Amino acid sequence: MRTSASLPFFLRLLLIVAGCEAVIMLGLGRFNQLDGWTGAVLDSALLTVLLAAVLWPWLRRIERARLAAESARQQQTAELSQSVTQLQRIRQALDQHAIVAVTDPAGSILEVNDAFCAISGYTRAELVGKNPRFLNSGHHPKSFFADLWATIQAGRIWHGEVRNRRKDGSLYWRDTTIVPLLDSAGRIESYIAFGYDTTARREQNEALNRLALV
């Protein structure tokens, strides 16, 4: 289909070239009695004018296409810059109000924010590359984490409260949501977990429960 559609273009081009060649030959025949520099200049001028007239529409198309491509590229660059700025603002908001960790499909930590380091007591260097299970407080049964992994490995979002152990041995609660991130083929490429410290609320509820029992 592309060949048949391109055929008229080549026919027009051949006709234009043939017509230009005929005009050039006529022009050269008229001025062939001139010798020296005058004839050469007139021949060159005639050839230049004819070629410019033939090539001008295609040159304009090429220039318009170049300008359109440049405009599209600038627009894409502006949109990308705007998206990057928005993502940076979202990350700043998360860093200020949420505990965030990113892991690979096997569960090894790829990145954590400052809030995660602050609540766990570990530095970023001590956390990256580790599996979050080393924070396990022993409070939850194995079935709890089995259900967690079955949910996120199926590509679904998991939400719940997890009790972890800090570096100093103290315990803390975290309301956590884990979101699987998929690649273009639909495979899980990483998990992002974000949550909030609910230790104070949990301790308050436990204190109230003890008072109620008393």
PDB file of all heavy atoms in Angstrom, residues 47 56 61 125 186 203 205:
ATOM      1  N   LEU A  47      20.342  27.987 -13.612  1.00  0.00           N
ATOM      2  CA  LEU A  47      20.241  26.677 -12.950  1.00  0.00           C
ATOM      3  C   LEU A  47      19.839  26.819 -11.488  1.00  0.00           C
ATOM      4  O   LEU A  47      19.013  26.064 -10.973  1.00  0.00           O
ATOM      5  CB  LEU A  47      21.583  25.947 -13.064  1.00  0.00           C
ATOM      6  CG  LEU A  47      21.630  24.534 -12.475  1.00  0.00           C
ATOM      7  CD1 LEU A  47      20.650  23.632 -13.198  1.00  0.00           C
ATOM      8  CD2 LEU A  47      23.045  23.967 -12.556  1.00  0.00           C
ATOM      9  N   TRP A  56      11.983  24.392  -3.495  1.00  0.00           N
ATOM     10  CA  TRP A  56      11.416  25.227  -2.443  1.00  0.00           C
ATOM     11  C   TRP A  56      10.240  24.570  -1.726  1.00  0.00           C
ATOM     12  O   TRP A  56      10.197  24.574  -0.479  1.00  0.00           O
ATOM     13  CB  TRP A  56      11.010  26.574  -3.020  1.00  0.00           C
ATOM     14  CG  TRP A  56      10.367  27.480  -2.016  1.00  0.00           C
ATOM     15  CD1 TRP A  56       9.085  27.902  -1.984  1.00  0.00           C
ATOM     16  CD2 TRP A  56      11.001  28.063  -0.871  1.00  0.00           C
ATOM     17  NE1 TRP A  56       8.853  28.718  -0.910  1.00  0.00           N
ATOM     18  CE2 TRP A  56      10.014  28.833  -0.195  1.00  0.00           C
ATOM     19  CE3 TRP A  56      12.278  28.006  -0.339  1.00  0.00           C
ATOM     20  CZ2 TRP A  56      10.286  29.535   0.963  1.00  0.00           C
ATOM     21  CZ3 TRP A  56      12.547  28.711   0.821  1.00  0.00           C
ATOM     22  CH2 TRP A  56      11.568  29.463   1.469  1.00  0.00           C
ATOM     23  N   ARG A  61       8.443  22.048   3.382  1.00  0.00           N
ATOM     24  CA  ARG A  61       7.865  20.925   4.122  1.00  0.00           C
ATOM     25  C   ARG A  61       8.841  20.392   5.162  1.00  0.00           C
ATOM     26  O   ARG A  61       8.467  20.089   6.301  1.00  0.00           O
ATOM     27  CB  ARG A  61       7.479  19.810   3.147  1.00  0.00           C
ATOM     28  CG  ARG A  61       6.300  20.140   2.244  1.00  0.00           C
ATOM     29  CD  ARG A  61       5.990  18.966   1.329  1.00  0.00           C
ATOM     30  NE  ARG A  61       4.937  19.303   0.371  1.00  0.00           N
ATOM     31  CZ  ARG A  61       4.517  18.476  -0.577  1.00  0.00           C
ATOM     32  NH1 ARG A  61       5.053  17.263  -0.682  1.00  0.00           N
ATOM     33  NH2 ARG A  61       3.561  18.853  -1.411  1.00  0.00           N
ATOM     34  N   ALA A 125      22.289   3.258  55.564  1.00  0.00           N
ATOM     35  CA  ALA A 125      23.284   2.267  55.158  1.00  0.00           C
ATOM     36  C   ALA A 125      23.040   0.919  55.827  1.00  0.00           C
ATOM     37  O   ALA A 125      23.327  -0.133  55.247  1.00  0.00           O
ATOM     38  CB  ALA A 125      24.688   2.780  55.487  1.00  0.00           C
ATOM     39  N   GLY A 186       3.699  -6.289  33.062  1.00  0.00           N
ATOM     40  CA  GLY A 186       2.808  -6.750  34.116  1.00  0.00           C
ATOM     41  C   GLY A 186       3.506  -7.519  35.218  1.00  0.00           C
ATOM     42  O   GLY A 186       2.842  -8.062  36.103  1.00  0.00           O
ATOM     43  N   GLU A 203      -0.483   2.177  72.444  1.00  0.00           N
ATOM     44  CA  GLU A 203      -0.160   2.149  73.874  1.00  0.00           C
ATOM     45  C   GLU A 203      -1.294   2.756  74.699  1.00  0.00           C
ATOM     46  O   GLU A 203      -1.605   2.271  75.800  1.00  0.00           O
ATOM     47  CB  GLU A 203       1.148   2.895  74.119  1.00  0.00           C
ATOM     48  CG  GLU A 203       2.361   2.182  73.553  1.00  0.00           C
ATOM     49  CD  GLU A 203       3.638   2.967  73.756  1.00  0.00           C
ATOM     50  OE1 GLU A 203       3.543   4.163  74.122  1.00  0.00           O
ATOM     51  OE2 GLU A 203       4.725   2.407  73.536  1.00  0.00           O
ATOM     52  N   ASN A 205      -4.479   2.706  73.861  1.00  0.00           N
ATOM     53  CA  ASN A 205      -5.569   1.725  73.876  1.00  0.00           C
ATOM     54  C   ASN A 205      -5.271   0.592  74.845  1.00  0.00           C
ATOM     55  O   ASN A 205      -6.175   0.117  75.567  1.00  0.00           O
ATOM     56  CB  ASN A 205      -5.786   1.161  72.476  1.00  0.00           C
ATOM     57  CG  ASN A 205      -6.406   2.175  71.532  1.00  0.00           C
ATOM     58  OD1 ASN A 205      -7.012   3.150  71.968  1.00  0.00           O
ATOM     59  ND2 ASN A 205      -6.247   1.942  70.234  1.00  0.00           N
TER      60      ASN A 205
END
